[in-house]
Amino acid sequence: MNPHPPPDVIIRPAVPGDAAGVVAVLNPIIESGRHTAFTRPFTVEAERAFIRAFPARGVFHVAVDPADGTIAGFQTLAPFSTDSPAFDHVGTMGTYVALDRHRQGIGGRLFAATFRAAVLLGFTKIFTYVRADNAAGLKAYLGQGFRVVGTAEKQALIAGRYVDEIIIEKLLVP
């Protein structure tokens, strides 16, 4: 018997109407000062515009709790660069789970859905960063098959303190 059954969430593409739910997940994470390099909260209007403008070749998934329709987490995968076709196979990812929903398997569900969609869109590699002081976030990514490829020292300046970021990647196909 699995001691941690899969969470009862629905993973689906984000729509502009999800903006308030996404902000309700993201802003407390930003305010905690521990899990992201974002330092300013987002407005619903800014998030709605972000969702509308999200790249057509990107993936923006939300994890919705079917009991009440709230968003429990979300994940984005956007092209790493649009400046050269040499990078068309590389995406960059962000993963956010509501602070009160950590360790419930929601991130795992988001990763699985995003990996499937990414391959269908022609991505073969995901390259991203995790704050060096976010051990839980790094553990989550490593548990999904990412590997550490380096450290960007003093990458972010947050509340007057430099924070390193761990550079990670995952190959989606051999």
Side-chain angles (χ1 to χ4, degrees):
M1 182 171 167
N2 183 355
H4 303 288
D8 188 21
V9 293
I10 297 165
I11 307 298
R12 63 163 175 76
V15 296
D18 293 326
V22 169
V23 166
V25 169
L26 184 55
N27 284 348
I29 293 169
I30 293 169
E31 290 163 9
S32 79
R34 298 184 317 240
H35 306 287
T36 182
F38 290 127
T39 57
R40 291 187 204 130
F42 288 85
T43 66
V44 172
E45 296 78 22
E47 188 60 33
R48 187 174 296 115
F50 179 78
I51 294 169
R52 281 191 181 118
F54 202 75
R57 192 167 164 259
V59 178
F60 193 143
H61 282 142
V62 291
V64 180
D65 187 326
D68 59 12
T70 61
I71 293 177
F74 66 96
Q75 188 169 62
T76 61
L77 178 79
F80 175 74
S81 173
T82 56
D83 296 331
S84 171
F87 299 109
D88 284 352
H89 66 291
V90 182
T92 185
M93 177 178 275
T95 307
Y96 303 90
V97 174
L99 292 173
D100 64 344
R101 301 295 301 266
H102 283 190
R103 301 183 56 89
Q104 296 179 12
I106 294 166
R109 296 278 306 277
L110 285 164
F111 279 111
T114 300
F115 292 159
R116 284 191 302 273
V119 170
L120 292 174
L121 290 169
F123 292 101
T124 60
K125 177 180 175 173
I126 300 173
F127 179 89
T128 197
Y129 310 85
V130 175
R131 280 178 56 155
D133 58 354
N134 183 358
L138 182 59
K139 182 179 178 183
Y141 276 97
L142 296 177
Q144 294 296 323
F146 284 79
R147 69 184 186 99
V148 174
V149 295
T151 300
E153 295 180 4
K154 297 183 179 183
Q155 183 72 3
L157 181 60
I158 301 171
R161 179 176 77 85
Y162 286 108
V163 177
D164 295 348
E165 289 202 302
I166 306 298
I167 304 164
I168 58 174
E169 69 180 12
K170 175 183 175 76
L171 298 177
L172 296 173
V173 295

